[in-house]
Structures are given as structure tokens and as C-alpha cells.
Amino acid sequence: MPIKNRLSEMQPEIAEWRRDFHMHPEILFETHRTSKVVADKLRDFGCDEVTEGIGRTGVVAVIRGKANGSGKVIGLRADMDALPIHEQTGLDYASKTDGAMHACGHDGHTAMLLGAAKYLAETRNFDGTVVVIFQPAEEGGGGGREMCEDGMMERWGIQEVYGMHNWPGVPTGQFAIRPGPFFAATDQFVIEIEGKGGHAAKPQETVDSTVVASHTVLALQTIVSRNSDPTKEAVVSVTSFETSSKAFNVIPQRVELKGTVRTLSADTRALVEERLPAIAEKCAEMFGAKAKVNYMRGYPVMVNSEEQTEFAAEVARSVSGDCADAPLVMGGEDFAFMLEERPGAYILVGNGDTAAVHHPEYNFNDEAIPAGCSWWAEIVEKRMPAA
């Protein structure tokens, strides 16, 4: 079935919801207004159950079909949080919150899932139960993990779960997906290098922490080039180099390096976690300095289940006529926590020729709404068909 007529009719209304969310972005777990608007709409739609405060500020609603002979329970998840970015779109509905912006399209994800929820609550043309999940703090806060730790999967008996993200550069309303590892694990590290500071004109009396740190930055690249399997993807990026002195004539006592690690397999992730501190500590020791490493695991690898991915692609083809093979993505996605708990799949929907996500000129494309909403609805109606 192509895009549903009812959802095409609802597109202007859903776009208005989306633009309201866009004007009022909220970061991490501070999605108080967004969560309230979402919960109020779900109640207005006639959902059978609406619960707030899951994973701090998450919202969960239940929609029961005309029958429940299948006993199936499917979860559909959208993220709600924005980014700490100053918007530069010039839109008449641009962010009214200084320093916060929906630069990743979570406003669109939330609006599309609301649209699908309204449709499903109206029609209930399925045999089973739908649990719609509106999650805070995807952008680095681990809201998906917190919702799972709150017992969401067990409390509502969710058996499988599906997620969606818009994707600039893909034609509007077209889909792409891949089975297995899809988005990378995202870890962080801080390396504190302690040397011996002194006058820049007397380097022989110092242990130059900037030299030690510079060698460390270069040495860390050998983890990818010489330690990890070249057929397995890995990224080690030092993104911050901060010295304890900003003077022109001082060799600083300390340098702090910060960075991120991206991997797509558990063994490569473990290898990097082992090699990074070993290299940093020995590199410092070689120069007579000391290094202290804090390695922090973040989001795990997001792995799409084979069966659910095949089904999600089938649904996408029924909606848009095609579903492309998605590339591996070295960015992180905390839907990974939900996929660790239940089988499921995560799909990309095209946002057209727009600025990239996390860019101050990015904007979600409202023309993608009917396709996205139809995919959500078809996931339910095809997976739990009415008798």
C-alpha cells in the first residue's frame, strides 16, 4: 500500500505540530514542555493509556487494536530532544530559545509518530497492541537507556521495537536500511598529561607537556592503522588540546586531551579501550611525564535484527516503492539500548537536499511527513493484521 490518504490529509496539521516543537526546543532531559504537549495530544487522540515520567521525562502510550488474538505488542519510538546550537535558518518558526535548536530533526520524528498514533487510535485496524515511545535525551544523554532501566520493555510487554531517523541527501520520503551493525558505539576519553612546566626559553629544565601530548595524538592513530583489523571500522579522534597556560613564554605543566572513539564491533571496541591508555601512558613515560586516562563507554553499537530489518524494508517498499541499502554510520544512536533489549529495526527516511543534521541551517523537511507516518502505521497493520 502506498502513502495512506488519511495521513496525507493530516500532513498540514502534523507539520504545524512539528513547527511548534521547532520553535520551542528543549535539550537532553529538559523536555518538559515537549513531553506535556505530546502527552496531552495522545490523550486527546483517545489512547488507552498515557504514562509520563518514564526515563525522567519520557512519555509512553498504549493503543489497543480491534482485537488482541495475536497477543503481539510492538513498540514505536521517536526522540524529542534538541541540540545546543544557535539556529541560523531565518525561518519564521525558528527557535525562540537562545542556544537551542532542533538541528537533528527530532521535532519531525516526534510529530510523525504523533501523526501515526492519531491514525492508529482512530482506525485500530490491527490485532494486537501498539506502544508509542517518546524519548528524551538521545543527543548524548542516554535517554533510551534510562527508559529501559525504568522497566519500560517489561512493564508494557514490548516484544519488538522500531525506530526512524530522517536523512539529508536521500530523496524526500525514500527509505534506506541495513541489517546487523548500523550505527557505531560512541565512547569518550580524557587524557591528562603532567610534565614539568617552566620558562619557554629554558626547555632543558622542563618536561614539555605539549611535546608529550603532540606525540600522543599521533601515536593514538596507530590503534586504527596498526592494531585494529583493517576490515573492521574504527575511528579515534582527539578533538580537544588544552594547556594549563596560555602564555607565549611558558611551557605548561599540564595538557588535557579529549576525544571520541567510534567502533562497529564489540571486539574492536574492547581493543581500542585497552590500547588507548597503554599508548598514552607509555608515550608520556618515554619523555619523563605521566599520563592519566579516563575512558568512558557511551552508546553501544546499534544492531538491527535480521528478521525485523527485512520486514521494515518490505514495509518501506510498500510505502515508497523502494528501500535502498543504507551505509554504515559512524555516528551514535541510543536506540541501540532498546535494540539490546528487544529485536527490532531502525530505518532512515529521506529529508531531501537539505543541510546536514547538526548544522545551524538544518531544517526537517515537512514533505517527508506522509511517508514517515505511513511507514509507522504500516509496521503495525502488516505486523499485526486484523482478522
Side-chain angles (χ1 to χ4, degrees), residues 133-147:
I133 302 162
F134 294 86
Q135 179 208 304
E138 191 282 322
E139 297 288 0
R145 175 181 54 217
E146 298 232 2
M147 294 189 86

mmCIF file with all atom_site columns, all heavy atoms in Angstrom, residues 133-147:
data_model
loop_
_atom_site.group_PDB
_atom_site.id
_atom_site.type_symbol
_atom_site.label_atom_id
_atom_site.label_alt_id
_atom_site.label_comp_id
_atom_site.label_asym_id
_atom_site.label_entity_id
_atom_site.label_seq_id
_atom_site.pdbx_PDB_ins_code
_atom_site.Cartn_x
_atom_site.Cartn_y
_atom_site.Cartn_z
_atom_site.occupancy
_atom_site.B_iso_or_equiv
_atom_site.pdbx_formal_charge
_atom_site.auth_seq_id
_atom_site.auth_comp_id
_atom_site.auth_asym_id
_atom_site.auth_atom_id
_atom_site.pdbx_PDB_model_num
ATOM 1   N N   . ILE A 1 133 ? 6.497  5.340  21.970 1.00 0.00 ? 133 ILE A N   1
ATOM 2   C CA  . ILE A 1 133 ? 7.537  5.735  22.919 1.00 0.00 ? 133 ILE A CA  1
ATOM 3   C C   . ILE A 1 133 ? 8.139  7.063  22.478 1.00 0.00 ? 133 ILE A C   1
ATOM 4   O O   . ILE A 1 133 ? 8.683  7.174  21.370 1.00 0.00 ? 133 ILE A O   1
ATOM 5   C CB  . ILE A 1 133 ? 8.650  4.665  22.963 1.00 0.00 ? 133 ILE A CB  1
ATOM 6   C CG1 . ILE A 1 133 ? 8.072  3.289  23.348 1.00 0.00 ? 133 ILE A CG1 1
ATOM 7   C CG2 . ILE A 1 133 ? 9.777  5.082  23.913 1.00 0.00 ? 133 ILE A CG2 1
ATOM 8   C CD1 . ILE A 1 133 ? 8.993  2.130  22.992 1.00 0.00 ? 133 ILE A CD1 1
ATOM 9   N N   . PHE A 1 134 ? 8.053  8.066  23.332 1.00 0.00 ? 134 PHE A N   1
ATOM 10  C CA  . PHE A 1 134 ? 8.634  9.376  23.043 1.00 0.00 ? 134 PHE A CA  1
ATOM 11  C C   . PHE A 1 134 ? 9.763  9.603  24.038 1.00 0.00 ? 134 PHE A C   1
ATOM 12  O O   . PHE A 1 134 ? 9.540  9.759  25.237 1.00 0.00 ? 134 PHE A O   1
ATOM 13  C CB  . PHE A 1 134 ? 7.557  10.454 23.144 1.00 0.00 ? 134 PHE A CB  1
ATOM 14  C CG  . PHE A 1 134 ? 6.504  10.319 22.082 1.00 0.00 ? 134 PHE A CG  1
ATOM 15  C CD1 . PHE A 1 134 ? 5.397  9.485  22.280 1.00 0.00 ? 134 PHE A CD1 1
ATOM 16  C CD2 . PHE A 1 134 ? 6.621  10.993 20.877 1.00 0.00 ? 134 PHE A CD2 1
ATOM 17  C CE1 . PHE A 1 134 ? 4.431  9.343  21.304 1.00 0.00 ? 134 PHE A CE1 1
ATOM 18  C CE2 . PHE A 1 134 ? 5.651  10.856 19.892 1.00 0.00 ? 134 PHE A CE2 1
ATOM 19  C CZ  . PHE A 1 134 ? 4.557  10.030 20.098 1.00 0.00 ? 134 PHE A CZ  1
ATOM 20  N N   . GLN A 1 135 ? 10.980 9.618  23.519 1.00 0.00 ? 135 GLN A N   1
ATOM 21  C CA  . GLN A 1 135 ? 12.185 9.546  24.346 1.00 0.00 ? 135 GLN A CA  1
ATOM 22  C C   . GLN A 1 135 ? 12.930 10.875 24.437 1.00 0.00 ? 135 GLN A C   1
ATOM 23  O O   . GLN A 1 135 ? 13.159 11.534 23.427 1.00 0.00 ? 135 GLN A O   1
ATOM 24  C CB  . GLN A 1 135 ? 13.126 8.487  23.756 1.00 0.00 ? 135 GLN A CB  1
ATOM 25  C CG  . GLN A 1 135 ? 14.423 8.328  24.518 1.00 0.00 ? 135 GLN A CG  1
ATOM 26  C CD  . GLN A 1 135 ? 15.550 7.863  23.640 1.00 0.00 ? 135 GLN A CD  1
ATOM 27  O OE1 . GLN A 1 135 ? 15.436 6.846  22.994 1.00 0.00 ? 135 GLN A OE1 1
ATOM 28  N NE2 . GLN A 1 135 ? 16.654 8.606  23.623 1.00 0.00 ? 135 GLN A NE2 1
ATOM 29  N N   . PRO A 1 136 ? 13.351 11.265 25.646 1.00 0.00 ? 136 PRO A N   1
ATOM 30  C CA  . PRO A 1 136 ? 14.225 12.432 25.792 1.00 0.00 ? 136 PRO A CA  1
ATOM 31  C C   . PRO A 1 136 ? 15.695 12.022 25.629 1.00 0.00 ? 136 PRO A C   1
ATOM 32  O O   . PRO A 1 136 ? 16.027 10.836 25.575 1.00 0.00 ? 136 PRO A O   1
ATOM 33  C CB  . PRO A 1 136 ? 13.964 12.875 27.234 1.00 0.00 ? 136 PRO A CB  1
ATOM 34  C CG  . PRO A 1 136 ? 13.724 11.565 27.952 1.00 0.00 ? 136 PRO A CG  1
ATOM 35  C CD  . PRO A 1 136 ? 12.988 10.688 26.958 1.00 0.00 ? 136 PRO A CD  1
ATOM 36  N N   . ALA A 1 137 ? 16.544 13.018 25.548 1.00 0.00 ? 137 ALA A N   1
ATOM 37  C CA  . ALA A 1 137 ? 17.998 12.843 25.744 1.00 0.00 ? 137 ALA A CA  1
ATOM 38  C C   . ALA A 1 137 ? 18.630 11.798 24.843 1.00 0.00 ? 137 ALA A C   1
ATOM 39  O O   . ALA A 1 137 ? 19.421 10.980 25.296 1.00 0.00 ? 137 ALA A O   1
ATOM 40  C CB  . ALA A 1 137 ? 18.283 12.518 27.213 1.00 0.00 ? 137 ALA A CB  1
ATOM 41  N N   . GLU A 1 138 ? 18.324 11.851 23.551 1.00 0.00 ? 138 GLU A N   1
ATOM 42  C CA  . GLU A 1 138 ? 19.067 10.995 22.614 1.00 0.00 ? 138 GLU A CA  1
ATOM 43  C C   . GLU A 1 138 ? 20.435 11.578 22.336 1.00 0.00 ? 138 GLU A C   1
ATOM 44  O O   . GLU A 1 138 ? 21.392 10.844 22.142 1.00 0.00 ? 138 GLU A O   1
ATOM 45  C CB  . GLU A 1 138 ? 18.279 10.838 21.307 1.00 0.00 ? 138 GLU A CB  1
ATOM 46  C CG  . GLU A 1 138 ? 18.832 9.761  20.382 1.00 0.00 ? 138 GLU A CG  1
ATOM 47  C CD  . GLU A 1 138 ? 20.078 10.175 19.605 1.00 0.00 ? 138 GLU A CD  1
ATOM 48  O OE1 . GLU A 1 138 ? 20.167 11.337 19.166 1.00 0.00 ? 138 GLU A OE1 1
ATOM 49  O OE2 . GLU A 1 138 ? 20.983 9.331  19.440 1.00 0.00 ? 138 GLU A OE2 1
ATOM 50  N N   . GLU A 1 139 ? 20.529 12.913 22.334 1.00 0.00 ? 139 GLU A N   1
ATOM 51  C CA  . GLU A 1 139 ? 21.771 13.587 21.944 1.00 0.00 ? 139 GLU A CA  1
ATOM 52  C C   . GLU A 1 139 ? 22.796 13.583 23.092 1.00 0.00 ? 139 GLU A C   1
ATOM 53  O O   . GLU A 1 139 ? 23.141 14.620 23.650 1.00 0.00 ? 139 GLU A O   1
ATOM 54  C CB  . GLU A 1 139 ? 21.469 15.026 21.504 1.00 0.00 ? 139 GLU A CB  1
ATOM 55  C CG  . GLU A 1 139 ? 20.585 15.134 20.274 1.00 0.00 ? 139 GLU A CG  1
ATOM 56  C CD  . GLU A 1 139 ? 21.288 14.729 18.990 1.00 0.00 ? 139 GLU A CD  1
ATOM 57  O OE1 . GLU A 1 139 ? 22.480 14.359 19.040 1.00 0.00 ? 139 GLU A OE1 1
ATOM 58  O OE2 . GLU A 1 139 ? 20.644 14.776 17.938 1.00 0.00 ? 139 GLU A OE2 1
ATOM 59  N N   . GLY A 1 140 ? 23.241 12.399 23.438 1.00 0.00 ? 140 GLY A N   1
ATOM 60  C CA  . GLY A 1 140 ? 24.325 12.285 24.413 1.00 0.00 ? 140 GLY A CA  1
ATOM 61  C C   . GLY A 1 140 ? 23.901 11.998 25.832 1.00 0.00 ? 140 GLY A C   1
ATOM 62  O O   . GLY A 1 140 ? 24.745 11.743 26.686 1.00 0.00 ? 140 GLY A O   1
ATOM 63  N N   . GLY A 1 141 ? 22.599 12.004 26.111 1.00 0.00 ? 141 GLY A N   1
ATOM 64  C CA  . GLY A 1 141 ? 22.156 11.810 27.489 1.00 0.00 ? 141 GLY A CA  1
ATOM 65  C C   . GLY A 1 141 ? 21.772 10.390 27.838 1.00 0.00 ? 141 GLY A C   1
ATOM 66  O O   . GLY A 1 141 ? 21.592 10.063 29.010 1.00 0.00 ? 141 GLY A O   1
ATOM 67  N N   . GLY A 1 142 ? 21.617 9.541  26.821 1.00 0.00 ? 142 GLY A N   1
ATOM 68  C CA  . GLY A 1 142 ? 21.249 8.165  27.087 1.00 0.00 ? 142 GLY A CA  1
ATOM 69  C C   . GLY A 1 142 ? 19.824 7.991  27.569 1.00 0.00 ? 142 GLY A C   1
ATOM 70  O O   . GLY A 1 142 ? 19.540 7.145  28.418 1.00 0.00 ? 142 GLY A O   1
ATOM 71  N N   . GLY A 1 143 ? 18.897 8.762  27.019 1.00 0.00 ? 143 GLY A N   1
ATOM 72  C CA  . GLY A 1 143 ? 17.502 8.645  27.425 1.00 0.00 ? 143 GLY A CA  1
ATOM 73  C C   . GLY A 1 143 ? 16.909 7.277  27.137 1.00 0.00 ? 143 GLY A C   1
ATOM 74  O O   . GLY A 1 143 ? 16.067 6.778  27.886 1.00 0.00 ? 143 GLY A O   1
ATOM 75  N N   . GLY A 1 144 ? 17.351 6.636  26.047 1.00 0.00 ? 144 GLY A N   1
ATOM 76  C CA  . GLY A 1 144 ? 16.876 5.298  25.730 1.00 0.00 ? 144 GLY A CA  1
ATOM 77  C C   . GLY A 1 144 ? 17.275 4.300  26.793 1.00 0.00 ? 144 GLY A C   1
ATOM 78  O O   . GLY A 1 144 ? 16.487 3.424  27.177 1.00 0.00 ? 144 GLY A O   1
ATOM 79  N N   . ARG A 1 145 ? 18.503 4.416  27.269 1.00 0.00 ? 145 ARG A N   1
ATOM 80  C CA  . ARG A 1 145 ? 18.972 3.538  28.360 1.00 0.00 ? 145 ARG A CA  1
ATOM 81  C C   . ARG A 1 145 ? 18.132 3.755  29.615 1.00 0.00 ? 145 ARG A C   1
ATOM 82  O O   . ARG A 1 145 ? 17.727 2.784  30.268 1.00 0.00 ? 145 ARG A O   1
ATOM 83  C CB  . ARG A 1 145 ? 20.446 3.835  28.653 1.00 0.00 ? 145 ARG A CB  1
ATOM 84  C CG  . ARG A 1 145 ? 21.015 3.069  29.855 1.00 0.00 ? 145 ARG A CG  1
ATOM 85  C CD  . ARG A 1 145 ? 22.466 3.455  30.086 1.00 0.00 ? 145 ARG A CD  1
ATOM 86  N NE  . ARG A 1 145 ? 22.609 4.900  30.202 1.00 0.00 ? 145 ARG A NE  1
ATOM 87  C CZ  . ARG A 1 145 ? 23.650 5.589  29.724 1.00 0.00 ? 145 ARG A CZ  1
ATOM 88  N NH1 . ARG A 1 145 ? 24.645 4.978  29.119 1.00 0.00 ? 145 ARG A NH1 1
ATOM 89  N NH2 . ARG A 1 145 ? 23.705 6.910  29.867 1.00 0.00 ? 145 ARG A NH2 1
ATOM 90  N N   . GLU A 1 146 ? 17.843 5.023  29.925 1.00 0.00 ? 146 GLU A N   1
ATOM 91  C CA  . GLU A 1 146 ? 17.091 5.309  31.149 1.00 0.00 ? 146 GLU A CA  1
ATOM 92  C C   . GLU A 1 146 ? 15.658 4.788  31.060 1.00 0.00 ? 146 GLU A C   1
ATOM 93  O O   . GLU A 1 146 ? 15.104 4.307  32.052 1.00 0.00 ? 146 GLU A O   1
ATOM 94  C CB  . GLU A 1 146 ? 17.103 6.813  31.442 1.00 0.00 ? 146 GLU A CB  1
ATOM 95  C CG  . GLU A 1 146 ? 18.500 7.355  31.683 1.00 0.00 ? 146 GLU A CG  1
ATOM 96  C CD  . GLU A 1 146 ? 18.620 8.153  32.966 1.00 0.00 ? 146 GLU A CD  1
ATOM 97  O OE1 . GLU A 1 146 ? 17.624 8.253  33.705 1.00 0.00 ? 146 GLU A OE1 1
ATOM 98  O OE2 . GLU A 1 146 ? 19.726 8.661  33.216 1.00 0.00 ? 146 GLU A OE2 1
ATOM 99  N N   . MET A 1 147 ? 15.054 4.871  29.881 1.00 0.00 ? 147 MET A N   1
ATOM 100 C CA  . MET A 1 147 ? 13.708 4.336  29.737 1.00 0.00 ? 147 MET A CA  1
ATOM 101 C C   . MET A 1 147 ? 13.702 2.815  29.906 1.00 0.00 ? 147 MET A C   1
ATOM 102 O O   . MET A 1 147 ? 12.805 2.249  30.544 1.00 0.00 ? 147 MET A O   1
ATOM 103 C CB  . MET A 1 147 ? 13.113 4.732  28.384 1.00 0.00 ? 147 MET A CB  1
ATOM 104 C CG  . MET A 1 147 ? 12.872 6.227  28.235 1.00 0.00 ? 147 MET A CG  1
ATOM 105 S SD  . MET A 1 147 ? 11.940 6.684  26.742 1.00 0.00 ? 147 MET A SD  1
ATOM 106 C CE  . MET A 1 147 ? 10.252 6.489  27.322 1.00 0.00 ? 147 MET A CE  1
#
